[in-house]
Amino acid sequence: MATYPLKVCEKRMECNDTASLWLDVPQDLAGAFTYRPGQFLTVENDDGGDLISRQYSLSSSPGAHPRLRITVKKIEGGRMSTWLVDQAGEGDYLEVQTPRGRFFKDLDAPHHVLMLAAGSGIAPILSIGRWLLESNQGHTVTFVYGNRTPDTVILADEMAEIAERHAGICRIEHVMSRAGEDWTGAHGRIDRAYIEAHFASWQAASELPMVAYMCGPEGFMDSAEGALMSAGLSASAIHRESFDMVLEDDETEPGLEVVAEDDPGEDGPPATIVAVVGGEEYEADWQEGENILAALLRMDADVPFSCQEGTCSSCISKLTAGRIEVRPGVLQTLREDDLAEGLTLACLSRPLTRTIRIDFDEI
Ligand SMILES: Cc1cc2nc3c(=O)[nH]c(=O)nc-3n(C[C@H](O)[C@H](O)[C@H](O)COP(=O)(O)OP(=O)(O)OC[C@H]3O[C@@H](n4cnc5c(N)ncnc54)[C@H](O)[C@@H]3O)c2cc1C
Ligand code: FES
């Protein structure tokens, strides 16, 4: 997919291994870089002759910030994160794709939004939480943010400023797993026991129905989701975003069927894939054994992709005609209600009907 050079206009070290980079969007690209809270950018870089691409959630909020901000934690030995945190600087240009992702779901009525984050997982959580508070739609927001020690907390000033500005409808609970005696806030990990012990107090903060968003390591999200469901939240009220690069997919499990809402398609051997990307239409003949993304790339279609193995969410798209089969590992990124709407990851999907139509713009 096409990338655009965006200038790093400001860089700030949030703590010793994490940096925020602010990117200027030229006027002529403002439309293309309009984003929803919780979406991410794919950044590309030439790393010693290898073109590498990685995803970074926007930690800025639509409306609140005219520029885009990503917040990157350096992973030991990590090729992109080390470059972004240690080397990329003000005045440099980053090659980035336009924003993608479906983490945030519109809320049609006021809700109490419980926002759970660990470490750099705060990036999309802050983007969504801030947007909800500043949209004046009557939502209340509780942030519960876990870190090891106070000096590893990132974006803390901005969170404090938001909580002050929205006093009464925004609460922040910082939880430290390895803080010293002088830390007067909560100690521990945001695990099942912590959530069970604190859920009633979070719920008591607002009478509105609760929905939860979470981002952080998979283990943290698994136990948080389990605890929230035991506390009475339904699966459809819990949304999670994963930064992990490992797909958990049991190859012996049958695939899941996704059917386009208005047009279930014609039975027969799968043959043609029609894709809509950036307003353009591409057509590919499907070959046995290929996934939909691979078929489109073979035809040089300008589709968004990065990992090609179901972990980065770049190839998220919507089936608008026909039926497809998706690997169950898709449920690491999308929920069953997303699949019911026709959403899928093209790199984990294969066609089941004679023709399928898939839209990468309508997500
Ligand atoms: C949708 C999405 C949004 C993301 N948003 C952010 C964000 O806002 N901020 C941010 O810092 N990162 C974010 N990430 C993670 C980011 O895309 C990269 O995976 C991360 O920066 C590591 O890339 P690298 O090139 O530095 O490491 P690599 O060179 O790819 O990997 C080096 C080593 O680190 C391991 N590794 C790779 N990724 C991770 C990881 N996430 N955690 C622990 N170990 C890892 C690899 O297995 C490998 O051993 C996001 C990922 C996704 C899919
Ligand atoms: S290309 Fe990464 S999820 Fe499909």
Side-chain angles (χ1 to χ4, degrees):
M1 191 181 184
T3 58
Y4 301 88
L6 297 189
K7 187 174 173 183
V8 179
C9 53
E10 192 184 329
K11 182 174 181 183
R12 173 185 149 141
M13 288 308 291
E14 300 287 349
C15 64
N16 70 339
D17 64 358
T18 304
S20 283
L21 293 97
W22 286 97
L23 306 175
D24 253 340
V25 179
Q27 198 56 42
D28 59 326
L29 291 178
F33 278 90
T34 302
Y35 65 102
R36 291 199 307 273
Q39 287 197 299
F40 60 83
L41 297 179
T42 295
V43 179
E44 289 189 3
N45 188 38
D46 181 336
D47 183 49
D50 275 352
L51 186 64
I52 58 169
S53 60
R54 301 285 186 271
Q55 290 61 46
Y56 293 98
S57 299
L58 287 156
S59 57
S60 50
S61 245
H65 305 110
R67 303 172 299 174
L68 306 177
R69 179 181 59 194
I70 56 171
T71 301
V72 183
K73 180 182 167 65
K74 187 165 68 173
I75 301 287
E76 200 164 325
R79 297 166 80 184
M80 181 70 87
S81 59
T82 303
W83 176 68
L84 287 170
V85 173
D86 290 348
Q87 286 163 38
E90 286 173 17
D92 288 343
Y93 283 81
L94 302 188
E95 285 294 330
V96 298
Q97 295 179 7
T98 50
R100 294 192 69 72
R102 274 274 299 204
F103 185 23
F104 176 64
K105 305 277 164 31
D106 282 326
L107 294 166
D108 51 10
H111 278 78
H112 179 199
V113 188
L114 177 65
M115 315 238 49
L116 304 178
S120 55
I122 193 64
I125 290 292
L126 180 58
S127 174
I128 295 172
R130 180 173 186 149
W131 187 84
L132 287 169
L133 289 164
E134 302 196 340
S135 63
N136 292 323
Q137 293 170 354
H139 305 296
T140 57
V141 174
T142 297
F143 291 100
V144 183
Y145 182 22
N147 281 287
R148 271 171 310 177
T149 49
D151 59 332
T152 60
V153 179
I154 57 177
L155 301 166
D157 300 354
E158 184 171 324
M159 292 183 78
E161 181 215 308
I162 294 170
E164 196 181 321
R165 190 145 25 98
H166 298 283
I169 57 165
C170 173
R171 295 169 67 232
I172 300 181
E173 191 168 310
H174 286 286
V175 186
M176 301 296 151
S177 62
R178 287 195 221 153
E181 292 294 300
D182 53 340
W183 170 249
T184 53
H187 288 260
R189 281 181 191 284
I190 310 172
D191 54 13
R192 194 176 182 105
Y194 189 93
I195 291 174
E196 282 169 1
H198 293 81
F199 187 78
S201 73
W202 299 334
Q203 214 171 25
S206 169
E207 286 177 354
L208 295 170
M210 190 184 268
V211 291
Y213 283 84
M214 60 181 77
C215 185
E218 284 291 311
F220 151 79
M221 293 197 289
D222 287 346
S223 47
E225 183 165 2
L228 292 176
M229 286 178 73
S230 306
L233 281 201
S234 65
S236 61
I238 303 172
H239 307 282
R240 48 195 276 181
E241 178 82 315
S242 177
F243 290 180
D244 284 359
M245 300 307 284
V246 181
L247 180 70
E248 282 164 28
D249 190 36
D250 180 351
E251 301 215 331
T252 59
E253 288 233 352
L256 307 167
E257 194 169 294
V258 173
V259 184
E261 226 170 9
D262 298 325
D263 180 359
E266 219 184 297
D267 281 332
T272 309
I273 298 167
V274 179
V276 178
V277 194
E280 305 239 342
E281 220 170 78
Y282 297 86
E283 200 172 296
D285 296 332
W286 181 69
Q287 294 176 1
E288 189 63 45
E290 267 182 335
N291 62 57
I292 291 173
L293 178 69
L296 291 166
L297 291 177
R298 188 168 41 74
M299 301 305 289
D300 286 333
D302 190 20
V303 281
F305 75 98
S306 175
C307 68
Q308 300 190 57
E309 56 185 29
T311 55
C312 76
S313 323
S314 297
C315 66
I316 189 168
S317 40
K318 184 167 180 172
L319 185 73
T320 55
R323 281 181 286 123
I324 57 175
E325 187 186 83
V326 193
R327 293 301 313 145
V330 74
L331 294 175
Q332 219 170 298
T333 305
L334 298 176
R335 307 206 63 107
E336 274 166 15
D337 50 348
D338 291 324
L339 301 186
E341 269 181 54
L343 289 174
T344 191
L345 294 179
C347 67
L348 294 183
S349 308
R350 69 177 188 95
L352 292 177
T353 43
R354 196 179 290 279
T355 302
I356 66 137
R357 192 178 169 86
I358 192 156
D359 193 326
F360 289 80
D361 298 341
E362 199 192 314
I363 55 157

